[in-house]
Amino acid sequence: MDSPKAHALAKVDKRVMDIHRTVKWSAAAVPVVALVLIFVVNSALPSRAVALPSRQAASAASAQAAAVSKPKLYQMLAYNDRIDTQNDELRMDFILQVPHGSVNPDCVAEGATSTSGGDGCGLTFLYSYYGIGDRATQYNTMVYLNTQGSDGKGAARWARNVDDYYTIHKVIHSGANDYLNISIEGNIDYPDDANPDRYDRGATDLVSINRVGGAKIKQYVYAIISDGKQSWANSSSHTFDAATTLDPANSTNIAEDYPAYVYAQACSPTAPYPACNGPMAFIGWDANPALWSGGQSNWGLVTDNGFDGRSEKAGVAPVKSFFVYWYNPDANRSKACSQNTSFYYQWLATKSGKWVPVSALTPQVQRVDGQNSAVAAVPPANSNTWSSFNEPASSSKTNVLMGNGPSDGSPSAQASDGSIDFKLAKSADGLDGYFKLVTWPITTNPDGTTTGCDTSDVKDAYNPEPGITANMSQADIAERVSKGWTIDTAYYRYDIARPAAPVINSPKDGSYVNTLTPTISGTGTPGDLLSLYAEDPAHPVAQSDVNAPDTKGFLIGQVRVADDGSWSIRDDNQASVANAELGTRRYHAWQMETDSGFDLTSNFSNIVAVRFLTQTDPAPQVEAVTVPHTVEGQLPAGAKVLVKGSVAPVHPGSTLKLYALPQDSTNATGSQSLKGDSSGQVGKGEAGELEKSNDSNDSNEPSDSSDSSATAAEQPLAASRSPEADRATAASPQSSQGAQKAQPLDSPTDTLEPDELVYTQDQLPTGSSSWQAQVDPQYFLAHEPSDGRGQSYRFIAVLTNVANIDAISQPLDELIDMSAPSPSVSSGDVTGVEGTVLSGQVQVAEAGDSIHFLWPDGTESTTISQADGSWSIIPPAGLVPGDAVVWAVDDQGNQSVKIHYSLKYPAQVGSLPFTGGCGWIGYASLLMVFVCTIVARAVYGRISTR
């Protein structure tokens, strides 16, 4: 049975080992950063409670995330808050907020250590070696070890560490601040007894063998940002009063809210139970127990890129990286609650800053049985063989850390050899990349029962409630973890849970805007403070690191994201490098949450390049419209309506569009007509040749610019116009005729519809050119009024540059009539012909049409139709019966189908007067001819006889 004297001697031996460790790195001039690390109850990231007011403007001076002036603890991930005072070590993993750029983790090469104190890299840790903070005492520095890099040298070096070191696993840029993911390991000497001289003045919670759950002792671990005035060498012999020596402007006690619960190793050998603080779990130090690295690989193991000299792939922790070893000061003394041969453990991780079980490892808490009963010692006896490691079980050893993995059959993150794939575990649950193993004791009587070991006064120390579940609240999880002992921690590419990056939706990347003060808009997280930046050409954003705060550029403005997730900020063009005509500006944004007090900033949004083009092109001209007409009732094959004009863009890539608007008789200045039924897009224009010309058009004033944009590829005319309206095919022009100028519309583009677009010409070159549109007649025939008298159209050309600025032509009105008249003959013979001419579906009389007659003798006559559509014509004298042809030509030149008509003599009389008819006239005529013939012969015969 061990005596108190034996414990005291063991403590002296451990201190001698500590001094030897200190001499080793001090004599070799290995740089040390002094730090005191306090054990902290692990808690989740602060969660946002209520969204901030939406769309509240915030000035750069008052609302922009300011850089912190000194280190600030963002989150304590894990620390050994419960510790055996004889095996007292300092272990911490945490996130530290510092001003951006104030700490340089690459101050030494990967795997190397600082040589002139931690402040040589911008950051120093000083910790109170004896746990005293209210007066002058010994402070140790901690040496910086660089574990960043891709070849695993630093990670392997950290796994072998046994001295006072700290490392920065990752630097996370977030706005004006950086967040450092840090682990520290060090030696510390907590009080062993209740001597008040070893505590802060007035302390009442003193180490005692009768204090179940240990004595609560303050910790003092100062993080110091270098101010260039004070330097701390790598040493364990700094003696000073922190209150009068350290500058509060650049130093912080990160352990302020994280005390240690210190357990005494001894129990009263004669006092009845309970006369102990409770069972203890070994934190490990040096090569106790013997892990794969020969050092303290169980704390803050970095698996990001594997380990130099080993075969494990990135993310995999080797076999015997972690351990659990419980011991009891009363073990083997046959006292109540003295046996600890079983325990619980579980791997926990953060997901978006909140603690969850690692489903690919230990979705439920695991029970391990079979550990040998161990007593307290320095170090605990047989830790190399009796500890539970992440290794396979054997016939001689069943107490191992082999999680049962997922219950749904998905892959386990722990291989059969005991190695753990934290990469797989992270991806399976979408975790942040930080993992810790928490263990809880199972304490029994020598007979294996728990009677008396789970009463309310001792339960939390001897048999606390173990494990967490996925549906447990964060408060309950924190309570469970606080009763356990955190022994092992690991990382795989950790990142803090920050706000999601916002998105810039408008303008589109690569688009043109028609103003030097564009409005940039997008989406974000409601309530977050959004900051919009413009790239500084002198410090452009690097493609390899688009989130670097050093290249954020000029602050354009800030705004609270609205409740619906939208935001917009206008660039007032006040940056030192101004927006300029035909120039380009690249914008990006980030958003910052303001509820937690840490001003966490997201990564940058997408980068949007915006081009500025504010000048208006000269208006195009519509100069002439040529309409084809029917021949023998049909339009000639390939006939097109030909529209000609000119254009003189000053910006390359502009688009010309021609619209033909059917006009009512009340708004058309040309011929009157009824507005037809614009039932849809029937025919479209065809791309004619764009001919270079020496003519220029500079008589039109530029239109007012508006805050709109369009990509150079899309170049839409207006939001209401469909891409289908931009199609065109090729054909040949027809003959011309005049057109009539019309008064310009007040705002023509407001009245233009997609189905009125008849021609498009893209990517126009600069300079003066002529253009011609060949439009399918079917477009106009589809709008033809039912009376067939044609429809008046207003032709408008719109030139749109790549910034979506429209230059609009003067309108040109033209009557489009391509309907042939329909003549008919009502009666006629060689003495005269008459008939009517009609038009349209409703057969309306046409007045003024030319009626043409080709007579049987080959001669031609013409007459004009009357107001009622009637016409009549007298044949040439002496015309004999035969086949005649008649056709009509309307006043627009449309020729009808040619009608063949047979001309005959007038009809003869068929009756005598007494019969009531008029046929007697014919008979009388025949009788007269007969009489005249007789008389003529008689006279001729008389003359002949003479």
Side-chain angles (χ1 to χ4, degrees):
M1 186 175 296
D2 294 337
S3 66
K5 182 177 179 180
H7 283 293
L9 291 175
K11 181 68 172 181
V12 171
D13 291 340
K14 200 261 184 181
R15 287 177 186 167
V16 170
M17 295 181 196
D18 291 347
I19 293 171
H20 175 66
R21 290 159 65 183
T22 300
V23 170
K24 282 194 299 182
W25 56 259
S26 296
V30 179
V32 175
V33 179
L35 81 85
V36 174
L37 193 54
I38 59 171
F39 180 82
V40 69
V41 175
N42 300 287
S43 58
L45 282 170
S47 59
R48 195 174 311 166
V50 181
L52 296 176
S54 62
R55 289 204 181 279
Q56 293 180 349
S59 67
S62 62
Q64 188 177 9
V68 293
S69 60
K70 63 179 184 178
K72 184 177 181 180
L73 182 67
Y74 171 70
Q75 184 183 20
M76 185 66 75
L77 294 169
Y79 77 109
N80 59 325
D81 59 341
R82 298 185 182 275
I83 191 69
D84 166 11
T85 187
Q86 299 294 321
N87 291 286
D88 36 6
E89 291 280 311
L90 186 60
R91 304 283 189 269
M92 282 187 175
D93 296 330
F94 54 91
I95 307 299
L96 190 69
Q97 183 185 31
V98 298
H100 172 64
S102 61
V103 177
N104 177 21
D106 294 323
C107 57
V108 295
E110 180 187 0
T113 58
S114 60
T115 58
S116 60
D119 57 324
C121 300
L123 178 64
T124 296
F125 284 99
L126 292 169
Y127 69 95
S128 173
Y129 182 70
Y130 295 111
I132 297 173
D134 66 345
R135 59 188 182 274
T137 189
Q138 177 180 326
Y139 283 84
N140 289 6
T141 58
M142 303 195 89
V143 179
Y144 171 65
L145 169 63
N146 185 357
T147 57
Q148 299 193 33
S150 58
D151 59 10
K153 288 182 179 179
R157 174 66 182 82
W158 177 254
R160 294 194 299 269
N161 180 52
V162 296
D163 295 313
D164 296 352
Y165 279 83
Y166 83 94
T167 188
I168 300 173
H169 300 295
K170 186 174 184 179
V171 178
I172 303 168
H173 302 306
S174 179
N177 300 303
D178 291 334
Y179 291 79
L180 310 181
N181 181 198
I182 296 175
S183 289
I184 61 176
E185 298 179 338
N187 306 313
I188 199 166
D189 188 5
Y190 295 111
D192 299 327
D193 52 36
N195 183 352
D197 292 339
R198 297 206 60 193
Y199 298 84
D200 285 339
R201 298 181 184 93
T204 58
D205 217 347
L206 310 180
V207 173
S208 168
I209 60 175
N210 296 314
R211 191 179 296 278
V212 177
K216 181 179 179 182
I217 297 177
K218 289 184 179 180
Q219 299 198 87
Y220 300 91
V221 182
Y222 288 95
I224 305 169
I225 294 294
S226 176
D227 58 3
K229 300 176 183 179
Q230 190 174 33
S231 178
W232 298 94
N234 292 336
S235 172
S236 60
S237 59
H238 302 294
T239 300
F240 59 83
D241 183 354
T244 58
T245 304
L246 300 181
D247 185 354
N250 67 337
S251 62
T252 300
N253 177 16
I254 64 171
E256 178 73 25
D257 299 321
Y258 299 95
Y261 292 85
V262 179
Y263 282 57
Q265 275 201 349
C267 296
S268 172
T270 58
Y273 161 84
C276 300
N277 294 166
M280 292 169 277
F282 186 35
I283 189 60
W285 48 269
D286 288 7
N288 301 296
L291 302 175
W292 69 265
S293 64
Q296 297 158 181
S297 67
N298 62 301
W299 196 268
L301 185 67
V302 185
T303 69
D304 291 13
N305 299 292
F307 304 94
D308 184 40
R310 293 189 63 90
S311 61
E312 286 86 5
K313 63 182 180 179
V316 175
V319 177
K320 296 192 75 172
S321 290
F322 312 110
F323 76 97
V324 172
Y325 190 40
W326 282 95
Y327 51 94
N328 192 311
D330 263 344
N332 304 323
R333 292 180 179 174
S334 300
K335 294 179 66 175
C337 306
S338 61
Q339 302 301 306
N340 288 95
T341 59
S342 301
F343 61 88
Y344 293 104
Y345 85 94
Q346 189 173 21
W347 281 101
L348 281 59
T350 57
K351 181 176 183 179
S352 298
K354 297 183 178 181
W355 293 106
V356 296
V358 181
S359 69
L361 281 171
T362 55
Q364 296 86 31
V365 68
Q366 307 290 295
R367 177 171 174 144
V368 175
D369 299 308
Q371 180 192 300
N372 287 3
S373 180
V375 298
V378 184
N382 301 308
S383 64
N384 289 339
T385 56
W386 291 359
S387 292
S388 300
F389 300 101
N390 60 309
E391 64 179 355
S394 66
S395 58
S396 60
K397 184 177 182 180
T398 59
N399 58 304
V400 294
L401 306 178
M402 293 292 292
N404 56 9
S407 59
D408 60 1
S410 55
S412 172
Q414 188 161 22
S416 59
D417 65 355
S419 62
I420 298 176
D421 188 343
F422 288 110
K423 179 181 179 181
L424 187 155
K426 178 180 178 180
S427 63
D429 293 335
L431 305 174
D432 297 339
Y434 179 73
F435 305 85
K436 66 181 179 181
L437 182 150
V438 182
T439 180
W440 296 267
I442 300 176
T443 308
T444 67
N445 299 307
D447 62 2
T449 66
T450 60
T451 303
C453 305
D454 54 4
T455 58
S456 60
D457 56 337
V458 299
K459 179 178 178 63
D460 287 347
Y462 284 81
N463 285 289
E465 292 294 332
I468 71 169
T469 60
N471 59 358
M472 190 176 288
S473 72
Q474 291 297 298
D476 289 343
I477 289 175
E479 179 68 17
R480 289 284 179 93
V481 172
S482 71
K483 299 301 188 296
W485 294 59
T486 302
I487 304 299
D488 306 294
T489 68
Y491 291 92
Y492 176 72
R493 300 186 182 178
Y494 175 77
D495 199 358
I496 60 176
R498 294 182 290 170
V503 176
I504 298 177
N505 295 325
S506 178
K508 298 297 184 183
D509 184 34
S511 65
Y512 290 84
V513 294
N514 56 22
T515 175
L516 297 180
T517 57
T519 295
I520 313 300
S521 62
T523 56
T525 302
D528 279 3
L529 178 63
L530 184 131
S531 300
L532 176 69
Y533 292 90
E535 183 181 49
D536 181 357
H539 303 283
V541 176
Q543 187 63 35
S544 60
D545 189 6
V546 295
N547 293 307
D550 295 335
T551 57
K552 63 179 178 293
F554 307 113
L555 179 65
I556 299 302
Q558 294 179 308
V559 70
R560 293 284 179 186
V561 179
D563 293 338
D564 64 359
S566 64
W567 61 268
S568 64
I569 296 175
R570 178 178 175 178
D571 179 1
D572 291 329
N573 203 16
Q574 299 298 311
S576 57
V577 179
N579 301 330
E581 180 73 11
L582 300 181
T584 300
R585 172 78 82 194
R586 299 203 329 153
Y587 297 92
H588 60 172
W590 65 31
Q591 58 187 359
M592 179 182 71
E593 61 84 26
T594 55
D595 291 338
S596 69
F598 291 94
D599 296 340
L600 279 170
T601 303
S602 71
N603 286 330
F604 275 110
S605 69
N606 53 313
I607 299 176
V608 171
V610 176
R611 304 173 185 179
F612 302 103
L613 196 159
T614 63
Q615 297 176 357
T616 306
D617 289 289
Q621 297 293 309
V622 181
E623 297 167 349
V625 179
T626 301
V627 182
H629 299 300
T630 58
V631 176
E632 294 192 17
Q634 299 293 326
L635 287 173
K640 303 292 179 182
V641 176
L642 182 64
V643 186
K644 294 183 177 182
S646 60
V647 66
V650 296
H651 303 109
S654 296
T655 298
L656 177 72
K657 294 184 179 182
L658 178 67
Y659 293 83
L661 288 67
Q663 298 294 290
D664 291 330
S665 60
T666 56
N667 64 17
T669 59
S671 301
Q672 292 185 352
S673 69
L674 298 175
K675 184 174 176 66
D677 176 19
S678 56
S679 58
Q681 180 178 337
V682 178
K684 293 300 171 187
E686 302 180 355
E689 295 294 330
L690 187 69
E691 302 172 357
K692 296 297 290 183
S693 167
N694 293 326
D695 297 334
S696 63
N697 175 17
D698 55 3
S699 60
N700 294 283
E701 293 296 328
S703 63
D704 294 335
S705 64
S706 60
D707 188 6
S708 61
S709 65
T711 64
E714 295 173 352
Q715 302 165 349
L717 177 64
S720 62
R721 297 174 203 160
S722 63
E724 291 81 6
D726 294 357
R727 295 174 298 182
T729 55
S732 58
Q734 300 298 310
S735 59
S736 333
Q737 74 177 50
Q740 183 173 358
K741 291 288 183 181
Q743 294 299 318
L745 300 176
D746 292 336
S747 181
T749 54
D750 293 340
T751 67
L752 303 180
E753 299 294 338
D755 60 358
E756 296 168 342
L757 177 66
V758 295
Y759 170 76
T760 299
Q761 182 84 28
D762 293 322
Q763 298 297 319
L764 300 183
T766 58
S768 299
S769 305
S770 61
W771 58 268
Q772 62 179 17
Q774 300 173 35
V775 186
D776 189 340
Q778 288 302 314
Y779 170 78
F780 303 98
L781 294 174
H783 296 80
E784 184 78 6
S786 59
D787 62 5
R789 297 291 293 171
Q791 171 74 53
S792 180
Y793 287 85
R794 175 159 292 179
F795 290 87
I796 297 174
V798 179
L799 181 64
T800 306
N801 65 23
V802 289
N804 203 35
I805 302 176
D806 294 332
I808 304 166
S809 72
Q810 292 288 331
L812 183 66
D813 286 354
E814 175 69 23
L815 178 66
I816 306 294
D817 183 356
M818 295 177 289
S819 295
S822 178
S824 63
V825 177
S826 57
S827 63
D829 53 31
V830 294
T831 62
V833 183
E834 61 184 23
T836 58
V837 60
L838 305 174
S839 67
Q841 299 174 3
V842 295
Q843 295 291 286
V844 177
E846 286 226 358
D849 284 6
S850 296
I851 310 300
H852 298 260
F853 243 92
L854 180 64
W855 305 107
D857 61 3
T859 61
E860 184 177 336
S861 300
T862 303
T863 187
I864 301 299
S865 62
Q866 302 303 308
D868 61 356
S870 64
W871 55 267
S872 62
I873 191 168
I874 303 300
L879 185 66
V880 297
D883 191 24
V885 179
V886 59
W887 69 92
V889 178
D890 65 18
D891 57 357
Q892 296 298 309
N894 294 298
Q895 184 187 82
S896 72
V897 174
K898 292 183 177 181
I899 302 173
H900 290 266
Y901 187 77
S902 180
L903 290 178
K904 299 178 180 180
Y905 285 116
Q908 300 301 317
V909 177
S911 60
L912 294 175
F914 54 83
T915 64
C918 298
W920 61 270
I921 298 175
Y923 293 111
S925 299
L926 292 175
L927 179 60
M928 185 175 291
V929 172
F930 177 75
V931 171
C932 290
T933 301
I934 296 296
V935 172
R937 289 180 176 177
V939 173
Y940 179 77
R942 190 176 294 126
I943 294 173
S944 300
T945 58
R946 290 181 179 175

